[in-house]
Amino acid sequence: MTLTDQLREPGAGGDERRLVQALRNGDEAAFAELIDLYHGSLLRLARSYVSDRAVAEEVVQETWLGVIRGIDRFEGRSSLKTWIYRILTNTAQKRGARERRTVPFSALAGPDEEGGVVDADRFLPEGHLWAGHWASPPASWGESPEERLLAGEAREVIEAAIAELPETQRQVITLRDVDGWPAEEVCNVLDLSEVNQRVLLHRARAKVRNALETYFADPDDG
Amino acid sequence: MASPARLTCQELVALVTDYIEDQIPVRDRERFDAHLERCAGCVIYVTQIRTTIQALAAFPTGTATPLEWDDLLTAYVTWSAA
């Protein structure tokens, strides 16, 4: 069992101290394992703050440098993972703020909206006998939609849908559903209440489903 | 509005994440399940949300390119030698 194996188990931060000590001692293998474990996920989260991939990579690079410089001062009040990801969110927010003056990335996505995640006109209106029930229900995606969803085209649809989300919805769905983080960790890193996190996840998932519905309904696909 | 005893489809759609995340009050869960037993449209909707989550989970993940890796390890070795 390696030092980072315990980081792979949710909620098993118990023996992080040995890993932290190894990092402070210059244990290259431990550091390499740490990078391997989190780098891809950090990059995805950075992409949710800054649109440019090269800038996102710089943000992650700066984050790791921040981890190196700060590991001696890490006090263990949060988990190591939360600490690392917070360095990232701080770094990314600063870069993102600078970016927004030139590239209106988050201006492309509308503000977090109130109201339903499915268009109201998909349901029967007030006054109808069956008000609130499907007027045009979703059409089945076929027997094995999973096969189509793994193909490159569907992945592009999903990527585009995620990119269009408002920033915090994008971050929540990336950490929860793409990276598989438990809700509590997402709340810790993004500073959200559990309820707020779930509302954001709800809206984000609905929008990605909507995008896939459009994709599956397109008769020109084939 | 439908009687409080039964959910409408629109209400079910609003509750779908609470349901999937197991953060739904027992009473609402019962109404949710009861609705699914008689509404093919909502069964499809819930299935599609679950399929969407699976598709997201199957997304390819990236790792550091060898060049970035070397830079970081060099920085680390330099730091620990200081």
Side-chain angles (χ1 to χ4, degrees):
Chain A
M1 169 141 159
T2 68
L3 288 167
T4 52
D5 274 345
Q6 57 218 335
L7 289 182
R8 298 173 200 270
E9 304 298 317
D15 225 354
E16 263 185 7
R17 284 172 302 168
R18 285 177 55 224
L19 172 61
V20 171
Q21 198 50 53
L23 294 170
R24 285 176 177 151
N25 291 343
D27 185 336
E28 288 171 44
F31 186 60
E33 272 181 53
L34 194 66
I35 294 177
D36 186 39
L37 185 57
Y38 292 140
H39 192 84
S41 161
L42 287 169
L43 187 61
R44 271 192 298 285
L45 189 57
R47 292 292 302 279
S48 74
Y49 286 93
V50 296
S51 53
D52 189 273
R53 183 180 170 111
V55 175
E57 287 175 352
E58 282 172 27
V59 166
V60 177
Q61 198 81 354
E62 280 176 46
T63 298
W64 285 120
L65 293 173
V67 169
I68 294 171
R69 286 192 299 263
I71 192 68
D72 277 341
R73 291 190 313 271
F74 171 69
E75 288 169 29
R77 271 179 286 131
S78 69
S79 73
L80 183 66
K81 182 179 182 181
T82 299
W83 181 71
I84 293 172
Y85 276 77
R86 279 225 165 119
I87 295 174
L88 180 118
T89 58
N90 288 335
T91 308
Q93 273 165 354
K94 284 184 212 145
R95 278 311 281 273
R98 251 185 282 154
E99 274 229 320
R100 268 192 281 281
R101 287 181 211 125
T102 51
V103 177
F105 179 50
S106 53
L108 293 173
D112 263 315
E113 71 280 14
E114 299 298 328
V117 293
V118 174
D119 266 345
D121 58 15
R122 295 286 297 271
F123 303 99
L124 296 167
E126 291 256 354
H128 193 285
L129 179 64
W130 294 105
H133 289 263
W134 289 105
S136 48
S140 167
W141 290 349
E143 281 299 307
S144 303
E146 299 80 19
E147 285 177 27
R148 281 191 78 184
L149 286 170
L150 289 173
E153 212 173 38
R155 285 206 332 247
E156 282 172 25
V157 168
I158 293 173
E159 267 178 24
I162 292 175
E164 280 169 34
L165 294 172
E167 188 175 272
T168 26
Q169 287 182 30
R170 187 162 64 242
Q171 285 150 15
V172 170
I173 200 173
T174 299
L175 290 175
R176 285 297 315 272
D177 289 345
V178 178
D179 289 340
W181 284 29
E184 196 187 328
E185 284 184 16
V186 175
C187 294
N188 284 342
V189 164
L190 298 181
D191 242 332
L192 297 168
S193 70
E194 204 279 330
V195 170
N196 199 359
Q197 173 261 164
R198 195 160 5 105
V199 168
L200 293 162
L201 183 63
H202 176 74
R203 292 186 178 147
R205 283 175 176 170
K207 289 198 194 118
V208 177
R209 189 215 70 94
N210 287 348
L212 287 172
E213 176 174 64
T214 304
Y215 168 69
F216 276 107
D218 187 345
D220 291 330
D221 269 327
Chain B
M1 219 38 167
S3 85
R6 291 181 168 214
L7 291 180
T8 67
C9 306
Q10 203 166 12
E11 287 166 338
L12 182 138
V13 165
L15 283 172
V16 75
T17 303
D18 292 351
Y19 179 83
I20 289 175
E21 296 302 306
D22 207 14
Q23 296 293 317
I24 190 171
V26 168
R27 189 80 218 291
D28 282 339
R29 169 180 294 284
E30 288 168 358
R31 298 183 332 157
F32 197 104
D33 286 332
H35 183 102
L36 287 179
E37 287 189 12
R38 24 170 249 280
C39 182
C42 283
V43 169
I44 290 177
Y45 186 82
V46 176
T47 304
Q48 287 175 353
I49 291 285
R50 292 194 193 277
T51 303
T52 300
I53 296 168
Q54 285 164 22
L56 291 163
F59 241 54
T61 60
T63 54
T65 66
L67 184 63
E68 291 164 322
W69 203 294
D70 286 346
D71 286 349
L72 288 172
L73 283 180
T74 301
Y76 181 63
V77 168
T78 307
W79 166 83
S80 64

